[in-house]
Amino acid sequence: MSIAALRDENERLKALLTQTQAALNEHQAALAASEEARRRLEVILGELRREKFGAKSEKLRPDQYHLPLEDVEIAQGVLDAAQEKAAAIIKGRSSGAPDPVRHRNRGCLPAHLPRVERIIAPASTLCPCGCGAMAKIGEDVSERLDVIPAQWRVLVTRRPKYACRRCSGAVVQAHAPEHVVPGGLPTEAAIAQVIVAKFGDHTPFYRQAEIYARQGIRLDRATLGNWSGRACFHLQPIGDHLRHHLATAERLFMDETTAPVLDPGRGAVKKGYFWAIVSDDRGHSGPSPPIVLFQYASGRSGAFARQFLGGYNGRFLQCDGYDGYDRLTEVARPQGPWTLVHCWSHLRRRFVKLARNSKSPIAEAAVRQVAQLYAIEATVRGLSPDIRLAARKEQSLPIVAALKPWFEKQLSMISSGSTLAEDIRYALNHWQGLTRFLDDGRLELDTNPVENAIRPVCLTRKNALFAGHEVGAENWALLASIVATCKLNDVNPVAYIAETLVAIIAGHSQSKIEDLMPWRFRKTSSRHQ
């Protein structure tokens, strides 16, 4: 081989080596990015684990757990993207090419969403061999979720005037429609959006004002509050009728949570309470619609529970072990005093906490026993009361019957001043209320329906910090009741409040207020949003 040929071969090998080294560097960079993303995810998970299972002083409040969890999900997305890019580089695919393996959330886009199609055609459909136009033999179709930013609009109303040209008679013009804010800016739909944003999506007025300002709409929090207050006035009959329905329910759930309220005279905040009353018969396929009603009180005394339930015809009240509810068992009523049904979930939490902190085998055994009861309940949820009661008699009763003497035996063997002894005494002291679910298939094992209903109020309270005054807290309770009841009945609360306000302003008959109840409104799943 000539010297020139050897020189050319040497140059070709050098170029190939340079190309290979560049590809190797690119692969190493991609893998390093993937490793860094994985490391960040591990750091976030480690912090979350420490906050959840570490010392009590280091733990987050339950309503704060969603913050680190969101960080985990974001970090997971970064890791996925880094791994996909690394895989694309190593396999020689472009970073924009679709991954044939990864298909997340496919097939779950609702059918009622409008479809906007786009066709991406090849640059040329002529056969490269010169045969002419090619024929379409198929296509690949993919669906992706897109969004058009929420857009405010101006509704212009024109009311033409008409007069006769032959005489100077009367002028004809349609009457101006009534509105929640006479002569004001908002439509009823705009007011409904403001209400649901605060009481359903936990966005206080000042944050909403900032959001609207980004679209050039200048609205201060006082204006938004005024609109909501006017709507609250017109929606009062809805709240009254919700209370009427609850008064006829045979079984109710009840719970309470704090409601900080400004105390103008002292320039400070005082502690009030939101009391939640819930009727939810979905667990045994009852005919009554689920309802939530919030009431504000300045304290937590059982006297308020007695006051709020005055005139109610129910027999059973499902509640936690707070002794304030004991007053209801002494109330003289034609139908007899209230019968308290206590919550197994509250009891279970005590033992779960103890098992986690102290690794107590007795607490762990108690948790397993209660878990068996919940497993049985899961098999009969939504069935008729008779079927539920039969299953409880056959399967749950033996577990409960064995659990009480087991508790008594453990209590006699441990220190009376221990936390475990306190938790066992809690169970034995409330045993009658805990076991009432064995006598009636309509009763639930716990108070989760009311706890789930009251949780959004806690989030709204957390974001808004406090109510301006006690009257404001009462208005808060009414609007939160309507929004929560809409959600329980699978109803779009914005559409419901908007159309209900229009109907009430237009003079809907008070005698037909039942027609305006949330459960008579069209369901979210059946309408286009």
mmCIF file of all heavy atoms in Angstrom, residues 73 87 107 127 160 181 222 336 355 378 381 422 433 442 456 479 491:
data_model
loop_
_atom_site.group_PDB
_atom_site.id
_atom_site.type_symbol
_atom_site.label_atom_id
_atom_site.label_comp_id
_atom_site.label_asym_id
_atom_site.label_seq_id
_atom_site.Cartn_x
_atom_site.Cartn_y
_atom_site.Cartn_z
ATOM 1 N N GLU A 73 -43.784 14.604 42.413
ATOM 2 C CA GLU A 73 -44.322 14.358 41.077
ATOM 3 C C GLU A 73 -43.596 15.175 40.024
ATOM 4 O O GLU A 73 -43.340 14.705 38.910
ATOM 5 C CB GLU A 73 -45.825 14.677 41.082
ATOM 6 C CG GLU A 73 -46.627 13.645 41.875
ATOM 7 C CD GLU A 73 -47.896 14.212 42.465
ATOM 8 O OE1 GLU A 73 -48.161 15.406 42.240
ATOM 9 O OE2 GLU A 73 -48.610 13.472 43.160
ATOM 10 N N ALA A 87 -32.263 7.649 26.566
ATOM 11 C CA ALA A 87 -32.584 6.466 25.771
ATOM 12 C C ALA A 87 -32.635 6.806 24.286
ATOM 13 O O ALA A 87 -32.187 6.027 23.444
ATOM 14 C CB ALA A 87 -33.916 5.879 26.221
ATOM 15 N N GLY A 107 -56.477 7.263 26.416
ATOM 16 C CA GLY A 107 -57.835 6.753 26.420
ATOM 17 C C GLY A 107 -58.702 7.268 27.545
ATOM 18 O O GLY A 107 -59.792 6.770 27.750
ATOM 19 N N CYS A 127 -44.628 9.509 -5.604
ATOM 20 C CA CYS A 127 -43.742 8.359 -5.453
ATOM 21 C C CYS A 127 -42.322 8.742 -5.861
ATOM 22 O O CYS A 127 -42.121 9.326 -6.946
ATOM 23 C CB CYS A 127 -44.233 7.199 -6.325
ATOM 24 S SG CYS A 127 -43.167 5.725 -6.205
ATOM 25 N N PRO A 160 -83.582 47.799 22.154
ATOM 26 C CA PRO A 160 -84.059 48.782 21.173
ATOM 27 C C PRO A 160 -85.393 49.399 21.590
ATOM 28 O O PRO A 160 -86.223 48.747 22.251
ATOM 29 C CB PRO A 160 -84.209 47.971 19.890
ATOM 30 C CG PRO A 160 -83.760 46.594 20.191
ATOM 31 C CD PRO A 160 -83.512 46.462 21.651
ATOM 32 N N VAL A 181 -76.403 42.219 40.963
ATOM 33 C CA VAL A 181 -75.831 43.547 41.208
ATOM 34 C C VAL A 181 -76.484 44.498 40.213
ATOM 35 O O VAL A 181 -76.032 44.617 39.071
ATOM 36 C CB VAL A 181 -74.299 43.551 41.021
ATOM 37 C CG1 VAL A 181 -73.718 44.922 41.358
ATOM 38 C CG2 VAL A 181 -73.654 42.474 41.892
ATOM 39 N N ALA A 222 -62.608 43.783 47.866
ATOM 40 C CA ALA A 222 -63.866 44.279 48.432
ATOM 41 C C ALA A 222 -65.001 44.128 47.433
ATOM 42 O O ALA A 222 -66.133 43.784 47.794
ATOM 43 C CB ALA A 222 -63.711 45.733 48.852
ATOM 44 N N GLY A 336 -87.862 10.726 70.922
ATOM 45 C CA GLY A 336 -86.852 10.222 71.835
ATOM 46 C C GLY A 336 -85.519 10.917 71.639
ATOM 47 O O GLY A 336 -85.294 11.599 70.639
ATOM 48 N N ALA A 355 -48.798 2.324 67.180
ATOM 49 C CA ALA A 355 -48.002 1.266 66.554
ATOM 50 C C ALA A 355 -46.821 1.850 65.793
ATOM 51 O O ALA A 355 -45.719 1.289 65.775
ATOM 52 C CB ALA A 355 -48.878 0.439 65.619
ATOM 53 N N ALA A 378 -66.190 -3.089 52.935
ATOM 54 C CA ALA A 378 -65.922 -2.814 51.522
ATOM 55 C C ALA A 378 -66.717 -3.736 50.611
ATOM 56 O O ALA A 378 -67.079 -3.358 49.491
ATOM 57 C CB ALA A 378 -64.429 -2.946 51.236
ATOM 58 N N ARG A 381 -70.541 -2.280 50.594
ATOM 59 C CA ARG A 381 -70.828 -0.863 50.384
ATOM 60 C C ARG A 381 -71.723 -0.682 49.170
ATOM 61 O O ARG A 381 -71.486 -1.244 48.097
ATOM 62 C CB ARG A 381 -69.539 -0.072 50.209
ATOM 63 C CG ARG A 381 -69.810 1.407 49.937
ATOM 64 C CD ARG A 381 -68.638 2.297 50.264
ATOM 65 N NE ARG A 381 -68.973 3.688 50.069
ATOM 66 C CZ ARG A 381 -69.652 4.433 50.917
ATOM 67 N NH1 ARG A 381 -70.091 3.897 52.057
ATOM 68 N NH2 ARG A 381 -69.926 5.698 50.668
ATOM 69 N N GLU A 422 -54.790 4.265 77.777
ATOM 70 C CA GLU A 422 -55.736 5.356 77.488
ATOM 71 C C GLU A 422 -56.544 5.044 76.233
ATOM 72 O O GLU A 422 -57.758 5.264 76.195
ATOM 73 C CB GLU A 422 -54.960 6.661 77.312
ATOM 74 C CG GLU A 422 -55.836 7.858 76.993
ATOM 75 C CD GLU A 422 -55.020 9.123 76.757
ATOM 76 O OE1 GLU A 422 -53.821 9.127 77.122
ATOM 77 O OE2 GLU A 422 -55.570 10.085 76.205
ATOM 78 N N GLY A 433 -71.596 2.816 71.470
ATOM 79 C CA GLY A 433 -71.723 3.570 70.226
ATOM 80 C C GLY A 433 -70.955 2.947 69.079
ATOM 81 O O GLY A 433 -71.383 3.011 67.919
ATOM 82 N N ARG A 442 -78.276 0.631 57.918
ATOM 83 C CA ARG A 442 -78.152 1.995 57.386
ATOM 84 C C ARG A 442 -76.981 2.744 58.003
ATOM 85 O O ARG A 442 -76.554 3.768 57.478
ATOM 86 C CB ARG A 442 -79.449 2.769 57.657
ATOM 87 C CG ARG A 442 -80.673 2.220 56.945
ATOM 88 C CD ARG A 442 -81.941 2.891 57.448
ATOM 89 N NE ARG A 442 -82.122 2.669 58.895
ATOM 90 C CZ ARG A 442 -83.070 3.231 59.624
ATOM 91 N NH1 ARG A 442 -83.936 4.067 59.046
ATOM 92 N NH2 ARG A 442 -83.185 2.964 60.907
ATOM 93 N N PRO A 456 -62.601 20.422 52.797
ATOM 94 C CA PRO A 456 -62.430 21.625 51.973
ATOM 95 C C PRO A 456 -62.553 22.925 52.764
ATOM 96 O O PRO A 456 -61.903 23.918 52.432
ATOM 97 C CB PRO A 456 -63.555 21.498 50.934
ATOM 98 C CG PRO A 456 -63.826 20.040 50.854
ATOM 99 C CD PRO A 456 -63.634 19.530 52.255
ATOM 100 N N LEU A 479 -72.429 29.591 51.719
ATOM 101 C CA LEU A 479 -71.884 29.385 50.385
ATOM 102 C C LEU A 479 -71.093 28.074 50.315
ATOM 103 O O LEU A 479 -71.164 27.346 49.317
ATOM 104 C CB LEU A 479 -71.003 30.569 49.986
ATOM 105 C CG LEU A 479 -71.752 31.903 49.848
ATOM 106 C CD1 LEU A 479 -70.786 33.040 49.557
ATOM 107 C CD2 LEU A 479 -72.811 31.819 48.752
ATOM 108 N N VAL A 491 -72.525 17.697 40.536
ATOM 109 C CA VAL A 491 -73.074 18.843 39.821
ATOM 110 C C VAL A 491 -72.000 19.920 39.716
ATOM 111 O O VAL A 491 -71.259 20.158 40.680
ATOM 112 C CB VAL A 491 -74.326 19.392 40.561
ATOM 113 C CG1 VAL A 491 -74.670 20.792 40.105
ATOM 114 C CG2 VAL A 491 -75.506 18.454 40.339
#
